Amino acid sequence: MKTRAILFIFALFLLLVSFPSISFAVATTNPVLEKKLEYLLPFPGILPDHPLYFLKQIRDGILDRLIVDPLRKAEFHVLQADKRLNMGRMLVENGKGTLAEQVISKGENYLERAVSELSEFKSTGRAVPASLIDRLMRSTEKHVEVLNELVLKTEGEIKAGLTGSVEFVKKVQGKIEKLK
């Protein structure tokens, strides 16, 4: 009889553990919060305040010159812009707002270079792949989203510089629309 009771308790325990628990909680959404864009920024690696950052700049410059295909070069420029945006975000979090604003500004120039590469490609009569235009649009939308977050976290000249970057990215978005 004792073994049956132990087996019954053990079986009951296994049933309770093996089935997912049921929750009667109601999930509420906050209408004030905006939906975040699902576009992941790449990890930037070492930041500009690192002593070996100059090696990374040399490497990126060499890669930029070695890429001949305009589509690949545009993809590379989007990647560099995304990395610089993430660098800027990390620098703001570390309290280095001035350096962050400079890095982000250079990154936005990479976006413009990507658009100009694609414009030149399109002017030769070839079609720009829709997937690349979509990636560029999602990237610029993410840039606007992150920059607006950073504008709220900063003050003074840094805030003005980041606001200028937001306007610059919006102009780039207008140029991307012409590529479609």
Side-chain angles (χ1 to χ4, degrees), residues 7 10 41 67 94 99 134:
L7 285 175
F10 183 70
L41 294 172
I67 299 173
N94 293 338
L99 183 58
D134 179 55

Side-chain angles (χ1 to χ4, degrees), residues 13 25 29 39 44 49 54 58 69 86 89-90 94 100 106 111 113 130 135 167 175:
F13 175 75
T29 57
Y39 180 84
D49 58 350
F54 73 96
I58 292 170
D69 181 28
N86 211 3
R89 176 194 280 174
M90 291 178 170
N94 293 338
K106 289 179 184 176
L111 280 178
R113 288 171 64 184
R135 179 176 178 203
E167 297 304 318
K175 293 178 183 178

